[in-house]
Amino acid sequence: MKKKLSICAAAFIALAMTACDSGKTGTIEGEVRDAFTNKPLEMPTVGMDSTIYTTLSKKYEFNQELRKGKFKFVKVPVGAYRVYAGRSKYVKTRMKIETTEQNPNASLILYIYSAQVDPGLYQGTPEGPLKIDNKWVVYSTNCNESIAGYRLTMPQQQAGDAKASLAEKIGVQKKGKKGKKAKKAAPAQVASAVTNLPEPRVIEGKLEVFFRNASSVTTPLIAKTYPAVVAPIASHKDCKGFGEGETKGVFPVKDKATDLKVEYVAENLFKITGDLPKGKQIIQLSQDGKTVQTYYFEAK
């Protein structure tokens, strides 16, 4: 009898607690925009993880506003949530929010971008992403302790010379009309073409770009810029990748770094902003203490 009484008492207490709960709710609303154009996207899919709140619900009543890229969820109990946004052929994004009884409402902007955007550095324009080609990447070097620098020249083999070199390597021989082997052709003279490190990309000094990472990582992206100077390779013995006879390279001044601001925009997409010091600069993007990419800029 005592056991039954305890069960009933517990049930009564639980019921009383539920009845006393204020059950305060609020409104979660916002807009979904293209990350590169900053324009609202028509009919995005928006929802809140592990809840009934989604724009795909048949009961969703704000479809007219959704056509303008705007969404709204009403009568949302206060608490912590993850709001996600996406669209067909777009990369999704998620944002954490938390409401309280003092502030039960929340307003936010979610950014998504086309899934066709390749990894790399971009400028945002009203027409869409404009890629900044990293034409210096083939000149980059690998360094164990120093920040990666660039070699000054790069020997290149022309297409015709490459074919001649391949023929020489495999020992191509032609047969005469009577089936006799012809003499092996004399080795072709392979003239190596040399290209110099391209001039840095010139900007006015204020950097504002997007970086699309190749893969998802849990650690933050770090962006720094360093003054770039021509220095002897012998002073950077930890760097590999220089050609024979090359005595100098372009290196960053490691102890004069300037931090750049990095903001998470969407899955694998970051916005990088900051004022570059005047002169030639090597911008380093890194994660987990490893260089992801370097870029060569000059601030006027």
Side-chain angles (χ1 to χ4, degrees), residues 215-239:
S215 59
S216 297
V217 290
T218 55
T219 54
L221 180 76
I222 296 174
K224 294 178 180 288
T225 183
Y226 303 84
V229 296
V230 176
I233 295 172
S235 63
H236 292 77
K237 295 180 180 180
D238 62 309
C239 297

PDB file of all heavy atoms in Angstrom, residues 215-239:
ATOM      1  N   SER A 215      38.070  20.690 -47.088  1.00  0.00           N
ATOM      2  CA  SER A 215      37.415  19.673 -46.268  1.00  0.00           C
ATOM      3  C   SER A 215      36.994  20.261 -44.932  1.00  0.00           C
ATOM      4  O   SER A 215      37.468  21.319 -44.527  1.00  0.00           O
ATOM      5  CB  SER A 215      38.357  18.486 -46.030  1.00  0.00           C
ATOM      6  OG  SER A 215      39.534  18.928 -45.379  1.00  0.00           O
ATOM      7  N   SER A 216      36.088  19.562 -44.261  1.00  0.00           N
ATOM      8  CA  SER A 216      35.611  20.020 -42.960  1.00  0.00           C
ATOM      9  C   SER A 216      36.634  19.694 -41.883  1.00  0.00           C
ATOM     10  O   SER A 216      37.214  18.613 -41.874  1.00  0.00           O
ATOM     11  CB  SER A 216      34.287  19.339 -42.621  1.00  0.00           C
ATOM     12  OG  SER A 216      33.289  19.695 -43.548  1.00  0.00           O
ATOM     13  N   VAL A 217      36.846  20.638 -40.998  1.00  0.00           N
ATOM     14  CA  VAL A 217      37.722  20.411 -39.852  1.00  0.00           C
ATOM     15  C   VAL A 217      37.081  21.047 -38.624  1.00  0.00           C
ATOM     16  O   VAL A 217      36.266  21.955 -38.729  1.00  0.00           O
ATOM     17  CB  VAL A 217      39.135  21.011 -40.066  1.00  0.00           C
ATOM     18  CG1 VAL A 217      39.914  20.244 -41.097  1.00  0.00           C
ATOM     19  CG2 VAL A 217      39.028  22.467 -40.453  1.00  0.00           C
ATOM     20  N   THR A 218      37.440  20.545 -37.460  1.00  0.00           N
ATOM     21  CA  THR A 218      36.834  21.056 -36.231  1.00  0.00           C
ATOM     22  C   THR A 218      37.611  22.237 -35.666  1.00  0.00           C
ATOM     23  O   THR A 218      37.064  23.026 -34.899  1.00  0.00           O
ATOM     24  CB  THR A 218      36.777  19.946 -35.171  1.00  0.00           C
ATOM     25  OG1 THR A 218      38.095  19.418 -34.965  1.00  0.00           O
ATOM     26  CG2 THR A 218      35.860  18.816 -35.627  1.00  0.00           C
ATOM     27  N   THR A 219      38.874  22.382 -36.042  1.00  0.00           N
ATOM     28  CA  THR A 219      39.677  23.487 -35.515  1.00  0.00           C
ATOM     29  C   THR A 219      39.492  24.730 -36.383  1.00  0.00           C
ATOM     30  O   THR A 219      39.236  24.627 -37.579  1.00  0.00           O
ATOM     31  CB  THR A 219      41.168  23.104 -35.492  1.00  0.00           C
ATOM     32  OG1 THR A 219      41.559  22.675 -36.797  1.00  0.00           O
ATOM     33  CG2 THR A 219      41.415  21.997 -34.503  1.00  0.00           C
ATOM     34  N   PRO A 220      39.644  25.915 -35.797  1.00  0.00           N
ATOM     35  CA  PRO A 220      39.415  27.149 -36.560  1.00  0.00           C
ATOM     36  C   PRO A 220      40.505  27.418 -37.584  1.00  0.00           C
ATOM     37  O   PRO A 220      41.646  26.967 -37.437  1.00  0.00           O
ATOM     38  CB  PRO A 220      39.394  28.224 -35.479  1.00  0.00           C
ATOM     39  CG  PRO A 220      40.197  27.656 -34.349  1.00  0.00           C
ATOM     40  CD  PRO A 220      39.936  26.185 -34.375  1.00  0.00           C
ATOM     41  N   LEU A 221      40.136  28.159 -38.612  1.00  0.00           N
ATOM     42  CA  LEU A 221      41.096  28.623 -39.610  1.00  0.00           C
ATOM     43  C   LEU A 221      41.797  29.857 -39.061  1.00  0.00           C
ATOM     44  O   LEU A 221      41.158  30.737 -38.487  1.00  0.00           O
ATOM     45  CB  LEU A 221      40.371  28.962 -40.916  1.00  0.00           C
ATOM     46  CG  LEU A 221      41.252  29.471 -42.064  1.00  0.00           C
ATOM     47  CD1 LEU A 221      42.021  28.306 -42.688  1.00  0.00           C
ATOM     48  CD2 LEU A 221      40.413  30.172 -43.117  1.00  0.00           C
ATOM     49  N   ILE A 222      43.115  29.918 -39.218  1.00  0.00           N
ATOM     50  CA  ILE A 222      43.909  31.061 -38.757  1.00  0.00           C
ATOM     51  C   ILE A 222      44.543  31.727 -39.968  1.00  0.00           C
ATOM     52  O   ILE A 222      45.123  31.058 -40.834  1.00  0.00           O
ATOM     53  CB  ILE A 222      44.996  30.614 -37.766  1.00  0.00           C
ATOM     54  CG1 ILE A 222      44.342  30.034 -36.505  1.00  0.00           C
ATOM     55  CG2 ILE A 222      45.911  31.773 -37.391  1.00  0.00           C
ATOM     56  CD1 ILE A 222      45.324  29.434 -35.524  1.00  0.00           C
ATOM     57  N   ALA A 223      44.415  33.052 -40.063  1.00  0.00           N
ATOM     58  CA  ALA A 223      44.979  33.805 -41.181  1.00  0.00           C
ATOM     59  C   ALA A 223      45.930  34.870 -40.652  1.00  0.00           C
ATOM     60  O   ALA A 223      45.570  35.644 -39.765  1.00  0.00           O
ATOM     61  CB  ALA A 223      43.866  34.438 -42.006  1.00  0.00           C
ATOM     62  N   LYS A 224      47.130  34.894 -41.197  1.00  0.00           N
ATOM     63  CA  LYS A 224      48.132  35.897 -40.829  1.00  0.00           C
ATOM     64  C   LYS A 224      48.806  36.405 -42.098  1.00  0.00           C
ATOM     65  O   LYS A 224      48.873  35.699 -43.111  1.00  0.00           O
ATOM     66  CB  LYS A 224      49.195  35.298 -39.907  1.00  0.00           C
ATOM     67  CG  LYS A 224      48.689  34.875 -38.527  1.00  0.00           C
ATOM     68  CD  LYS A 224      49.811  34.245 -37.703  1.00  0.00           C
ATOM     69  CE  LYS A 224      49.326  33.811 -36.319  1.00  0.00           C
ATOM     70  NZ  LYS A 224      49.076  34.973 -35.447  1.00  0.00           N
ATOM     71  N   THR A 225      49.299  37.623 -42.040  1.00  0.00           N
ATOM     72  CA  THR A 225      50.064  38.158 -43.156  1.00  0.00           C
ATOM     73  C   THR A 225      51.437  38.587 -42.659  1.00  0.00           C
ATOM     74  O   THR A 225      51.575  39.102 -41.540  1.00  0.00           O
ATOM     75  CB  THR A 225      49.335  39.339 -43.830  1.00  0.00           C
ATOM     76  OG1 THR A 225      50.085  39.784 -44.967  1.00  0.00           O
ATOM     77  CG2 THR A 225      49.112  40.493 -42.873  1.00  0.00           C
ATOM     78  N   TYR A 226      52.459  38.338 -43.492  1.00  0.00           N
ATOM     79  CA  TYR A 226      53.848  38.622 -43.123  1.00  0.00           C
ATOM     80  C   TYR A 226      54.501  39.458 -44.227  1.00  0.00           C
ATOM     81  O   TYR A 226      54.234  39.233 -45.422  1.00  0.00           O
ATOM     82  CB  TYR A 226      54.652  37.324 -42.987  1.00  0.00           C
ATOM     83  CG  TYR A 226      54.108  36.327 -41.997  1.00  0.00           C
ATOM     84  CD1 TYR A 226      53.105  35.437 -42.357  1.00  0.00           C
ATOM     85  CD2 TYR A 226      54.616  36.250 -40.704  1.00  0.00           C
ATOM     86  CE1 TYR A 226      52.612  34.505 -41.456  1.00  0.00           C
ATOM     87  CE2 TYR A 226      54.135  35.316 -39.791  1.00  0.00           C
ATOM     88  CZ  TYR A 226      53.134  34.450 -40.179  1.00  0.00           C
ATOM     89  OH  TYR A 226      52.641  33.514 -39.289  1.00  0.00           O
ATOM     90  N   PRO A 227      55.391  40.392 -43.871  1.00  0.00           N
ATOM     91  CA  PRO A 227      56.172  41.083 -44.904  1.00  0.00           C
ATOM     92  C   PRO A 227      57.001  40.073 -45.693  1.00  0.00           C
ATOM     93  O   PRO A 227      57.589  39.163 -45.110  1.00  0.00           O
ATOM     94  CB  PRO A 227      57.065  42.037 -44.099  1.00  0.00           C
ATOM     95  CG  PRO A 227      56.396  42.163 -42.772  1.00  0.00           C
ATOM     96  CD  PRO A 227      55.707  40.857 -42.516  1.00  0.00           C
ATOM     97  N   ALA A 228      57.022  40.225 -47.017  1.00  0.00           N
ATOM     98  CA  ALA A 228      57.774  39.303 -47.876  1.00  0.00           C
ATOM     99  C   ALA A 228      59.082  39.958 -48.307  1.00  0.00           C
ATOM    100  O   ALA A 228      59.083  41.083 -48.812  1.00  0.00           O
ATOM    101  CB  ALA A 228      56.945  38.920 -49.093  1.00  0.00           C
ATOM    102  N   VAL A 229      60.193  39.256 -48.101  1.00  0.00           N
ATOM    103  CA  VAL A 229      61.499  39.794 -48.475  1.00  0.00           C
ATOM    104  C   VAL A 229      62.294  38.720 -49.218  1.00  0.00           C
ATOM    105  O   VAL A 229      62.092  37.522 -49.016  1.00  0.00           O
ATOM    106  CB  VAL A 229      62.301  40.251 -47.232  1.00  0.00           C
ATOM    107  CG1 VAL A 229      61.602  41.405 -46.533  1.00  0.00           C
ATOM    108  CG2 VAL A 229      62.511  39.086 -46.268  1.00  0.00           C
ATOM    109  N   VAL A 230      63.186  39.170 -50.085  1.00  0.00           N
ATOM    110  CA  VAL A 230      64.110  38.254 -50.754  1.00  0.00           C
ATOM    111  C   VAL A 230      65.267  37.975 -49.796  1.00  0.00           C
ATOM    112  O   VAL A 230      65.884  38.907 -49.274  1.00  0.00           O
ATOM    113  CB  VAL A 230      64.635  38.860 -52.068  1.00  0.00           C
ATOM    114  CG1 VAL A 230      65.669  37.935 -52.702  1.00  0.00           C
ATOM    115  CG2 VAL A 230      63.477  39.103 -53.035  1.00  0.00           C
ATOM    116  N   ALA A 231      65.518  36.704 -49.535  1.00  0.00           N
ATOM    117  CA  ALA A 231      66.548  36.332 -48.560  1.00  0.00           C
ATOM    118  C   ALA A 231      67.305  35.104 -49.059  1.00  0.00           C
ATOM    119  O   ALA A 231      66.790  34.334 -49.879  1.00  0.00           O
ATOM    120  CB  ALA A 231      65.904  36.052 -47.200  1.00  0.00           C
ATOM    121  N   PRO A 232      68.533  34.896 -48.579  1.00  0.00           N
ATOM    122  CA  PRO A 232      69.303  33.708 -48.984  1.00  0.00           C
ATOM    123  C   PRO A 232      68.606  32.425 -48.528  1.00  0.00           C
ATOM    124  O   PRO A 232      68.060  32.355 -47.422  1.00  0.00           O
ATOM    125  CB  PRO A 232      70.646  33.892 -48.259  1.00  0.00           C
ATOM    126  CG  PRO A 232      70.713  35.339 -47.932  1.00  0.00           C
ATOM    127  CD  PRO A 232      69.309  35.775 -47.698  1.00  0.00           C
ATOM    128  N   ILE A 233      68.637  31.443 -49.378  1.00  0.00           N
ATOM    129  CA  ILE A 233      68.051  30.148 -49.031  1.00  0.00           C
ATOM    130  C   ILE A 233      68.807  29.520 -47.863  1.00  0.00           C
ATOM    131  O   ILE A 233      68.235  28.801 -47.042  1.00  0.00           O
ATOM    132  CB  ILE A 233      68.073  29.213 -50.258  1.00  0.00           C
ATOM    133  CG1 ILE A 233      67.172  29.783 -51.350  1.00  0.00           C
ATOM    134  CG2 ILE A 233      67.634  27.810 -49.891  1.00  0.00           C
ATOM    135  CD1 ILE A 233      67.257  29.057 -52.660  1.00  0.00           C
ATOM    136  N   ALA A 234      70.085  29.838 -47.759  1.00  0.00           N
ATOM    137  CA  ALA A 234      70.906  29.278 -46.682  1.00  0.00           C
ATOM    138  C   ALA A 234      70.391  29.678 -45.300  1.00  0.00           C
ATOM    139  O   ALA A 234      70.634  28.990 -44.317  1.00  0.00           O
ATOM    140  CB  ALA A 234      72.357  29.737 -46.845  1.00  0.00           C
ATOM    141  N   SER A 235      69.644  30.790 -45.231  1.00  0.00           N
ATOM    142  CA  SER A 235      69.110  31.224 -43.944  1.00  0.00           C
ATOM    143  C   SER A 235      67.794  30.530 -43.619  1.00  0.00           C
ATOM    144  O   SER A 235      67.232  30.748 -42.553  1.00  0.00           O
ATOM    145  CB  SER A 235      68.903  32.749 -43.951  1.00  0.00           C
ATOM    146  OG  SER A 235      67.943  33.120 -44.926  1.00  0.00           O
ATOM    147  N   HIS A 236      67.292  29.708 -44.533  1.00  0.00           N
ATOM    148  CA  HIS A 236      66.055  28.938 -44.323  1.00  0.00           C
ATOM    149  C   HIS A 236      66.323  27.489 -44.734  1.00  0.00           C
ATOM    150  O   HIS A 236      65.699  26.954 -45.646  1.00  0.00           O
ATOM    151  CB  HIS A 236      64.900  29.515 -45.139  1.00  0.00           C
ATOM    152  CG  HIS A 236      64.460  30.866 -44.680  1.00  0.00           C
ATOM    153  ND1 HIS A 236      65.165  32.008 -44.970  1.00  0.00           N
ATOM    154  CD2 HIS A 236      63.381  31.253 -43.936  1.00  0.00           C
ATOM    155  CE1 HIS A 236      64.530  33.054 -44.442  1.00  0.00           C
ATOM    156  NE2 HIS A 236      63.462  32.625 -43.812  1.00  0.00           N
ATOM    157  N   LYS A 237      67.257  26.873 -44.042  1.00  0.00           N
ATOM    158  CA  LYS A 237      67.666  25.516 -44.399  1.00  0.00           C
ATOM    159  C   LYS A 237      66.553  24.490 -44.183  1.00  0.00           C
ATOM    160  O   LYS A 237      66.633  23.369 -44.696  1.00  0.00           O
ATOM    161  CB  LYS A 237      68.912  25.124 -43.596  1.00  0.00           C
ATOM    162  CG  LYS A 237      70.132  25.954 -43.943  1.00  0.00           C
ATOM    163  CD  LYS A 237      71.340  25.529 -43.132  1.00  0.00           C
ATOM    164  CE  LYS A 237      72.563  26.363 -43.487  1.00  0.00           C
ATOM    165  NZ  LYS A 237      73.762  25.964 -42.703  1.00  0.00           N
ATOM    166  N   ASP A 238      65.533  24.862 -43.404  1.00  0.00           N
ATOM    167  CA  ASP A 238      64.439  23.919 -43.156  1.00  0.00           C
ATOM    168  C   ASP A 238      63.443  23.873 -44.311  1.00  0.00           C
ATOM    169  O   ASP A 238      62.535  23.052 -44.320  1.00  0.00           O
ATOM    170  CB  ASP A 238      63.701  24.300 -41.876  1.00  0.00           C
ATOM    171  CG  ASP A 238      63.053  25.675 -41.974  1.00  0.00           C
ATOM    172  OD1 ASP A 238      63.769  26.630 -42.346  1.00  0.00           O
ATOM    173  OD2 ASP A 238      61.851  25.775 -41.695  1.00  0.00           O
ATOM    174  N   CYS A 239      63.610  24.761 -45.298  1.00  0.00           N
ATOM    175  CA  CYS A 239      62.680  24.811 -46.434  1.00  0.00           C
ATOM    176  C   CYS A 239      63.188  23.966 -47.591  1.00  0.00           C
ATOM    177  O   CYS A 239      64.363  24.027 -47.963  1.00  0.00           O
ATOM    178  CB  CYS A 239      62.473  26.255 -46.893  1.00  0.00           C
ATOM    179  SG  CYS A 239      61.714  27.313 -45.642  1.00  0.00           S
TER     180      CYS A 239
END
